[in-house]
Amino acid sequence: MARSGEDGPHPVDRHVGRRVAERRIALGYNQSDLGRALGVTFQQVQKYEKGSNRISASKLWQVAQFFKVDPAYFFEGLYAQPGMAEGEGQAFEHDFPSTRHTIEIARLAPRLTPDRQRLVADLVRQLAGESDAER
């Protein structure tokens, strides 16, 4: 089901798609590998990962089985918007790209000492052109 419109894909579909992409990349699979496991084309996997096509519950179950995670994994980091019945929560951020490099940086960072983590964060902040005042 196509979900793109004037406003683009629904934020929840984008979040779930991003989590699928992050897990796929972290495990070293390409979109064709995942597509074969699900019985869909790599183009369909691309649409799932962008959120432009929703992942059905049964397909999400298959993805979770393939990645050996609980289906809830794909919803981690997703919080209710303030004012929703679920209560007050921090809104989720979707404006950053998930790439092999960002995933690798996130995976390796915990192995560094706190001092080195701070140095890396300072370096990335400088490279991104973000000042200390913007933090």
Side-chain angles (χ1 to χ4, degrees), residues 7-44:
D7 297 332
H10 190 279
V12 173
D13 297 325
R14 287 178 32 203
H15 179 87
V16 169
R18 177 163 286 137
R19 295 287 289 168
V20 169
E22 289 171 352
R23 186 69 177 174
R24 176 184 58 76
I25 292 168
L27 293 174
Y29 292 112
N30 61 40
Q31 291 174 331
S32 294
D33 296 331
L34 180 56
R36 276 189 296 278
L38 302 177
V40 300
T41 64
F42 79 90
Q43 292 97 332
Q44 182 62 41

Short mmCIF file of all heavy atoms in Angstrom, two decimals, residues 7-44:
data_model
loop_
_atom_site.label_atom_id
_atom_site.label_comp_id
_atom_site.label_asym_id
_atom_site.label_seq_id
_atom_site.Cartn_x
_atom_site.Cartn_y
_atom_site.Cartn_z
N ASP A 7 2.37 15.01 2.46
CA ASP A 7 3.19 15.09 3.66
C ASP A 7 4.22 13.97 3.73
O ASP A 7 4.98 13.89 4.69
CB ASP A 7 2.31 15.04 4.91
CG ASP A 7 1.37 16.22 4.99
OD1 ASP A 7 1.71 17.30 4.46
OD2 ASP A 7 0.28 16.08 5.57
N GLY A 8 4.24 13.07 2.77
CA GLY A 8 5.18 11.96 2.77
C GLY A 8 4.70 10.82 3.64
O GLY A 8 3.57 10.82 4.13
N PRO A 9 5.58 9.85 3.84
CA PRO A 9 5.21 8.68 4.64
C PRO A 9 4.87 9.05 6.09
O PRO A 9 5.38 10.03 6.63
CB PRO A 9 6.45 7.80 4.60
CG PRO A 9 7.23 8.29 3.42
CD PRO A 9 6.91 9.74 3.29
N HIS A 10 4.03 8.24 6.70
CA HIS A 10 3.67 8.45 8.10
C HIS A 10 4.94 8.29 8.96
O HIS A 10 5.76 7.40 8.69
CB HIS A 10 2.61 7.42 8.51
CG HIS A 10 2.01 7.71 9.84
ND1 HIS A 10 2.63 7.37 11.03
CD2 HIS A 10 0.85 8.32 10.17
CE1 HIS A 10 1.88 7.76 12.03
NE2 HIS A 10 0.79 8.34 11.53
N PRO A 11 5.12 9.10 9.99
CA PRO A 11 6.32 9.00 10.82
C PRO A 11 6.54 7.62 11.45
O PRO A 11 7.69 7.19 11.59
CB PRO A 11 6.08 10.06 11.92
CG PRO A 11 5.15 11.03 11.29
CD PRO A 11 4.27 10.23 10.37
N VAL A 12 5.49 6.92 11.78
CA VAL A 12 5.65 5.58 12.36
C VAL A 12 6.19 4.62 11.30
O VAL A 12 7.09 3.82 11.57
CB VAL A 12 4.34 5.05 12.98
CG1 VAL A 12 4.49 3.61 13.42
CG2 VAL A 12 3.93 5.93 14.16
N ASP A 13 5.68 4.72 10.07
CA ASP A 13 6.18 3.87 8.99
C ASP A 13 7.65 4.17 8.70
O ASP A 13 8.44 3.26 8.45
CB ASP A 13 5.34 4.06 7.72
CG ASP A 13 3.89 3.64 7.91
OD1 ASP A 13 3.65 2.67 8.66
OD2 ASP A 13 3.02 4.28 7.30
N ARG A 14 8.01 5.44 8.76
CA ARG A 14 9.42 5.82 8.56
C ARG A 14 10.29 5.27 9.67
O ARG A 14 11.39 4.77 9.43
CB ARG A 14 9.54 7.34 8.47
CG ARG A 14 9.00 7.88 7.16
CD ARG A 14 9.04 9.38 7.02
NE ARG A 14 10.14 10.02 7.71
CZ ARG A 14 10.14 11.28 8.08
NH1 ARG A 14 9.10 12.05 7.84
NH2 ARG A 14 11.16 11.81 8.70
N HIS A 15 9.81 5.35 10.90
CA HIS A 15 10.58 4.86 12.04
C HIS A 15 10.80 3.36 11.94
O HIS A 15 11.93 2.88 12.09
CB HIS A 15 9.85 5.20 13.35
CG HIS A 15 10.57 4.72 14.57
ND1 HIS A 15 11.55 5.47 15.19
CD2 HIS A 15 10.49 3.56 15.27
CE1 HIS A 15 12.03 4.78 16.22
NE2 HIS A 15 11.40 3.62 16.29
N VAL A 16 9.74 2.61 11.68
CA VAL A 16 9.86 1.15 11.55
C VAL A 16 10.78 0.81 10.39
O VAL A 16 11.66 -0.05 10.52
CB VAL A 16 8.47 0.50 11.40
CG1 VAL A 16 8.59 -0.97 11.01
CG2 VAL A 16 7.66 0.65 12.68
N GLY A 17 10.62 1.48 9.27
CA GLY A 17 11.49 1.24 8.12
C GLY A 17 12.95 1.52 8.42
O GLY A 17 13.85 0.76 8.02
N ARG A 18 13.18 2.61 9.15
CA ARG A 18 14.56 2.96 9.51
C ARG A 18 15.16 1.89 10.43
O ARG A 18 16.31 1.50 10.28
CB ARG A 18 14.60 4.31 10.19
CG ARG A 18 16.02 4.66 10.66
CD ARG A 18 16.22 6.11 10.95
NE ARG A 18 16.27 6.81 9.69
CZ ARG A 18 15.66 7.97 9.45
NH1 ARG A 18 14.96 8.56 10.38
NH2 ARG A 18 15.74 8.55 8.28
N ARG A 19 14.36 1.38 11.37
CA ARG A 19 14.85 0.33 12.27
C ARG A 19 15.16 -0.95 11.49
O ARG A 19 16.13 -1.65 11.79
CB ARG A 19 13.82 0.04 13.37
CG ARG A 19 13.58 1.21 14.32
CD ARG A 19 14.71 1.42 15.28
NE ARG A 19 14.72 0.33 16.26
CZ ARG A 19 15.70 0.09 17.10
NH1 ARG A 19 16.77 0.84 17.08
NH2 ARG A 19 15.63 -0.91 17.94
N VAL A 20 14.34 -1.28 10.47
CA VAL A 20 14.61 -2.44 9.62
C VAL A 20 15.95 -2.23 8.91
O VAL A 20 16.81 -3.13 8.91
CB VAL A 20 13.47 -2.67 8.60
CG1 VAL A 20 13.88 -3.70 7.55
CG2 VAL A 20 12.20 -3.12 9.31
N ALA A 21 16.14 -1.06 8.32
CA ALA A 21 17.38 -0.77 7.59
C ALA A 21 18.59 -0.83 8.52
O ALA A 21 19.63 -1.41 8.16
CB ALA A 21 17.30 0.60 6.92
N GLU A 22 18.47 -0.24 9.70
CA GLU A 22 19.59 -0.24 10.64
C GLU A 22 19.98 -1.66 11.03
O GLU A 22 21.16 -2.01 11.07
CB GLU A 22 19.23 0.58 11.89
CG GLU A 22 19.16 2.05 11.64
CD GLU A 22 18.61 2.84 12.82
OE1 GLU A 22 18.13 2.22 13.81
OE2 GLU A 22 18.64 4.08 12.75
N ARG A 23 18.98 -2.49 11.32
CA ARG A 23 19.26 -3.87 11.72
C ARG A 23 19.85 -4.66 10.57
O ARG A 23 20.80 -5.43 10.75
CB ARG A 23 17.97 -4.52 12.23
CG ARG A 23 18.16 -5.90 12.80
CD ARG A 23 18.94 -5.84 14.10
NE ARG A 23 19.07 -7.17 14.65
CZ ARG A 23 19.77 -7.48 15.70
NH1 ARG A 23 20.42 -6.54 16.35
NH2 ARG A 23 19.85 -8.70 16.13
N ARG A 24 19.31 -4.47 9.38
CA ARG A 24 19.81 -5.17 8.19
C ARG A 24 21.28 -4.84 7.95
O ARG A 24 22.11 -5.73 7.77
CB ARG A 24 18.97 -4.79 6.96
CG ARG A 24 19.48 -5.40 5.67
CD ARG A 24 18.69 -4.93 4.48
NE ARG A 24 18.66 -3.50 4.28
CZ ARG A 24 19.68 -2.77 3.80
NH1 ARG A 24 20.83 -3.35 3.48
NH2 ARG A 24 19.55 -1.47 3.66
N ILE A 25 21.60 -3.56 8.00
CA ILE A 25 22.97 -3.12 7.76
C ILE A 25 23.89 -3.61 8.86
O ILE A 25 25.00 -4.10 8.59
CB ILE A 25 23.03 -1.58 7.63
CG1 ILE A 25 22.32 -1.16 6.33
CG2 ILE A 25 24.46 -1.09 7.64
CD1 ILE A 25 22.04 0.33 6.23
N ALA A 26 23.44 -3.52 10.12
CA ALA A 26 24.27 -3.96 11.25
C ALA A 26 24.61 -5.45 11.14
O ALA A 26 25.69 -5.88 11.56
CB ALA A 26 23.57 -3.67 12.57
N LEU A 27 23.69 -6.24 10.58
CA LEU A 27 23.92 -7.68 10.45
C LEU A 27 24.64 -8.05 9.15
O LEU A 27 24.95 -9.22 8.92
CB LEU A 27 22.59 -8.45 10.53
CG LEU A 27 21.90 -8.40 11.89
CD1 LEU A 27 20.52 -9.06 11.81
CD2 LEU A 27 22.76 -9.06 12.97
N GLY A 28 24.89 -7.06 8.30
CA GLY A 28 25.64 -7.30 7.08
C GLY A 28 24.83 -7.83 5.91
O GLY A 28 25.40 -8.36 4.95
N TYR A 29 23.51 -7.69 5.95
CA TYR A 29 22.67 -8.14 4.84
C TYR A 29 22.42 -6.98 3.88
O TYR A 29 22.41 -5.82 4.28
CB TYR A 29 21.31 -8.63 5.35
CG TYR A 29 21.39 -9.90 6.15
CD1 TYR A 29 21.11 -9.90 7.51
CD2 TYR A 29 21.72 -11.10 5.55
CE1 TYR A 29 21.18 -11.07 8.25
CE2 TYR A 29 21.79 -12.28 6.28
CZ TYR A 29 21.52 -12.25 7.64
OH TYR A 29 21.59 -13.40 8.36
N ASN A 30 22.19 -7.31 2.61
CA ASN A 30 21.76 -6.28 1.67
C ASN A 30 20.26 -6.41 1.46
O ASN A 30 19.62 -7.33 1.97
CB ASN A 30 22.55 -6.34 0.35
CG ASN A 30 22.38 -7.65 -0.39
OD1 ASN A 30 21.29 -8.22 -0.44
ND2 ASN A 30 23.46 -8.15 -0.98
N GLN A 31 19.69 -5.48 0.72
CA GLN A 31 18.24 -5.48 0.52
C GLN A 31 17.77 -6.72 -0.23
O GLN A 31 16.68 -7.21 0.02
CB GLN A 31 17.81 -4.21 -0.20
CG GLN A 31 17.97 -2.98 0.67
CD GLN A 31 17.68 -1.69 -0.06
OE1 GLN A 31 17.88 -1.59 -1.26
NE2 GLN A 31 17.23 -0.68 0.69
N SER A 32 18.60 -7.23 -1.13
CA SER A 32 18.23 -8.44 -1.86
C SER A 32 18.15 -9.65 -0.92
O SER A 32 17.25 -10.49 -1.06
CB SER A 32 19.22 -8.72 -2.98
OG SER A 32 19.15 -7.71 -3.96
N ASP A 33 19.08 -9.74 0.03
CA ASP A 33 19.06 -10.84 1.00
C ASP A 33 17.75 -10.83 1.78
O ASP A 33 17.08 -11.86 1.93
CB ASP A 33 20.22 -10.73 2.00
CG ASP A 33 21.59 -10.88 1.37
OD1 ASP A 33 21.71 -11.57 0.34
OD2 ASP A 33 22.54 -10.28 1.92
N LEU A 34 17.38 -9.66 2.28
CA LEU A 34 16.15 -9.54 3.05
C LEU A 34 14.94 -9.81 2.16
O LEU A 34 14.01 -10.51 2.56
CB LEU A 34 16.04 -8.16 3.71
CG LEU A 34 14.78 -7.91 4.55
CD1 LEU A 34 14.61 -8.96 5.65
CD2 LEU A 34 14.83 -6.51 5.14
N GLY A 35 14.96 -9.30 0.95
CA GLY A 35 13.86 -9.53 0.02
C GLY A 35 13.64 -11.01 -0.26
O GLY A 35 12.50 -11.48 -0.25
N ARG A 36 14.72 -11.76 -0.48
CA ARG A 36 14.60 -13.20 -0.71
C ARG A 36 13.99 -13.89 0.50
O ARG A 36 13.13 -14.77 0.36
CB ARG A 36 15.97 -13.81 -1.04
CG ARG A 36 16.36 -13.68 -2.50
CD ARG A 36 17.60 -14.50 -2.83
NE ARG A 36 18.79 -14.04 -2.13
CZ ARG A 36 19.55 -13.02 -2.52
NH1 ARG A 36 19.25 -12.36 -3.62
NH2 ARG A 36 20.61 -12.67 -1.83
N ALA A 37 14.40 -13.50 1.69
CA ALA A 37 13.87 -14.12 2.91
C ALA A 37 12.38 -13.83 3.08
O ALA A 37 11.65 -14.65 3.63
CB ALA A 37 14.64 -13.62 4.13
N LEU A 38 11.93 -12.69 2.59
CA LEU A 38 10.53 -12.28 2.74
C LEU A 38 9.67 -12.63 1.53
O LEU A 38 8.45 -12.48 1.58
CB LEU A 38 10.44 -10.77 2.98
CG LEU A 38 11.18 -10.21 4.19
CD1 LEU A 38 11.03 -8.70 4.24
CD2 LEU A 38 10.67 -10.86 5.47
N GLY A 39 10.31 -13.03 0.45
CA GLY A 39 9.57 -13.33 -0.77
C GLY A 39 9.12 -12.08 -1.51
O GLY A 39 8.08 -12.08 -2.17
N VAL A 40 9.91 -11.01 -1.40
CA VAL A 40 9.62 -9.76 -2.11
C VAL A 40 10.89 -9.30 -2.83
O VAL A 40 11.97 -9.82 -2.59
CB VAL A 40 9.12 -8.64 -1.15
CG1 VAL A 40 7.84 -9.07 -0.45
CG2 VAL A 40 10.18 -8.25 -0.14
N THR A 41 10.76 -8.31 -3.68
CA THR A 41 11.91 -7.77 -4.41
C THR A 41 12.70 -6.82 -3.52
O THR A 41 12.18 -6.31 -2.51
CB THR A 41 11.46 -7.01 -5.66
OG1 THR A 41 10.69 -5.87 -5.24
CG2 THR A 41 10.64 -7.90 -6.59
N PHE A 42 13.94 -6.56 -3.93
CA PHE A 42 14.73 -5.59 -3.17
C PHE A 42 14.10 -4.20 -3.27
O PHE A 42 14.23 -3.39 -2.36
CB PHE A 42 16.20 -5.58 -3.61
CG PHE A 42 16.48 -4.82 -4.87
CD1 PHE A 42 16.79 -3.48 -4.84
CD2 PHE A 42 16.45 -5.47 -6.10
CE1 PHE A 42 17.06 -2.78 -6.00
CE2 PHE A 42 16.72 -4.79 -7.27
CZ PHE A 42 17.02 -3.43 -7.22
N GLN A 43 13.39 -3.93 -4.38
CA GLN A 43 12.72 -2.63 -4.51
C GLN A 43 11.63 -2.49 -3.44
O GLN A 43 11.44 -1.41 -2.88
CB GLN A 43 12.09 -2.47 -5.90
CG GLN A 43 13.10 -2.35 -7.02
CD GLN A 43 13.36 -3.68 -7.72
OE1 GLN A 43 13.22 -4.75 -7.13
NE2 GLN A 43 13.74 -3.61 -8.97
N GLN A 44 10.94 -3.60 -3.15
CA GLN A 44 9.92 -3.56 -2.10
C GLN A 44 10.57 -3.31 -0.74
O GLN A 44 10.05 -2.54 0.07
CB GLN A 44 9.11 -4.85 -2.07
CG GLN A 44 8.00 -4.86 -1.05
CD GLN A 44 6.96 -3.79 -1.31
OE1 GLN A 44 6.56 -3.55 -2.44
NE2 GLN A 44 6.51 -3.13 -0.26
#
